[in-house]
Amino acid sequence: MRLATWNVNSIRTRIDRVLGFLEREDIDVLAMQEIKCKPEQFPHQALEDAGYELAVHGLDQWNGVAIASRVGLEEVATGFPGQPAWAKDESASPVVEARALGATVGAAGQQVRLWSLYVPNGRELSHPHYAYKLEWLAALRQATGQWLAAEPELALALVGDWNVAPLDEDVWDMGSFAGATHVSAPERAAFAAFEQVGMREVTRELVDGYTYWDYQQLRFPRNEGMRIDFVQASAALAARVSGAAIDRFERKGKGASDHAPVIVTLR
């Protein structure tokens, strides 16, 4: 099985590139983040014509997650237990944002419980969104621990845009991130804490490189990027990983997302 995760930064803008990527890389399952649309606005037909089933979770023109699978798609869940809500301002009611979508994919005997995740950005260390981000990651870790406690042999994958650079080498220049989000000690600790409940990030040992480059200031040509897109796997799933890749091609050229797809191959 070829499984990929990609922050597409608007599926309606990127649909042709998504279709080309799926065919070129022979992808069985694609987890998408930042689709930026409601389910009724999603380009279902194009992906269904290409042989994929879809699960889509979007509330407005922001955030949004989706899963496309040509190897089965069932047990869809929008949001994980305990997922925190966010209020855009003091006058708004808190809303559980469209940032997490789960589904079971794969043939019988080879199924994977997959979550497409778009972790909150955090904005600034002093911003309420930063506290929301840490709360969000803590709640996801707790839910993950409960899933694995109930089913220790579960082939579980938490994939997506984590908005955390866990190591100094995951940003082009740590000096440029002094006092910034993504590299703070609490965020890195929150990411590392998934190991305590039985998860392991499985791409780093197989492939080097960044997964995100800002559109501004020629970041991509200068390779001034960040590694913030990851695949956290349970022990049962990690044992099946035979390869990984970061598809830099999809960050090149006209109409590219600011993220590159991350691919894992499963035995």
Side-chain angles (χ1 to χ4, degrees):
M1 184 191 301
R2 296 266 287 171
L3 188 157
T5 178
W6 191 4
N7 180 321
V8 296
N9 191 13
S10 178
I11 184 59
R12 290 177 290 178
T13 301
R14 258 32 107 186
I15 184 58
D16 289 341
R17 292 196 69 133
V18 168
L19 291 170
F21 164 73
L22 291 171
E23 181 177 5
R24 176 169 55 84
E25 293 295 335
D26 193 26
I27 300 298
D28 295 300
V29 183
L30 174 62
M32 291 168 270
Q33 302 85 43
E34 267 201 290
I35 61 170
K36 294 185 175 180
C37 67
K38 299 177 182 179
E40 60 268 26
Q41 298 170 314
F42 192 96
H44 291 262
Q45 197 62 54
L47 284 157
E48 289 170 357
D49 288 348
Y52 291 84
E53 296 180 76
L54 291 164
V56 179
H57 181 34
L59 300 178
D60 49 33
Q61 73 272 31
W62 308 110
N63 308 319
V65 281
I67 296 172
S69 173
R70 64 181 184 185
V71 289
L73 185 116
E74 55 189 29
E75 298 178 302
V76 174
T78 55
F80 54 84
Q83 182 176 334
W86 169 252
K88 293 182 179 179
D89 54 58
E90 293 181 357
S91 63
S93 298
V95 173
V96 177
E97 297 180 300
R99 292 181 175 274
L101 179 67
T104 299
V105 299
Q110 300 177 348
Q111 290 183 317
V112 174
R113 185 60 180 169
L114 173 68
W115 282 88
S116 179
L117 304 169
Y118 180 41
V119 176
N121 177 281
R123 301 180 187 174
E124 300 172 356
L125 297 183
S126 59
H127 198 284
H129 208 259
Y130 178 75
Y132 166 57
K133 178 180 189 174
L134 296 178
E135 182 185 5
W136 201 96
L137 285 166
L140 176 63
R141 184 184 71 247
Q142 181 174 359
T144 301
Q146 292 170 349
W147 293 329
L148 292 179
E151 193 175 347
E153 296 304 312
L154 178 65
L156 175 65
L158 307 179
V159 311
D161 179 356
W162 289 78
N163 268 317
V164 177
L167 303 178
D168 288 358
E169 65 198 56
D170 294 332
V171 297
W172 80 91
D173 175 25
M174 277 297 294
S176 298
F177 286 82
T181 60
H182 292 63
V183 300
S184 72
E187 290 167 286
R188 288 178 165 181
F191 184 89
F194 282 84
E195 292 186 14
Q196 299 170 11
V197 295
M199 302 296 287
R200 178 164 65 90
E201 205 292 310
V202 293
T203 67
R204 187 183 298 279
E205 60 198 54
L206 298 170
V207 61
D208 295 325
Y210 302 136
T211 64
Y212 164 85
W213 301 258
D214 194 280
Y215 290 128
Q216 305 299 317
Q217 301 179 359
L218 298 175
R219 294 296 188 203
F220 184 65
R222 295 174 178 171
N223 198 31
E224 295 177 350
M226 303 173 67
R227 188 170 191 162
I228 57 177
D229 302 83
F230 295 101
V231 176
Q232 293 252 23
S234 64
L237 183 62
R240 292 169 52 187
V241 175
S242 61
I246 298 169
D247 189 352
R248 284 175 54 95
F249 174 83
E250 288 300 341
R251 182 57 181 84
K252 299 178 181 179
K254 184 178 179 180
S257 170
D258 45 4
H259 291 252
V262 176
I263 307 165
V264 290
T265 302
L266 305 178
R267 298 184 182 89

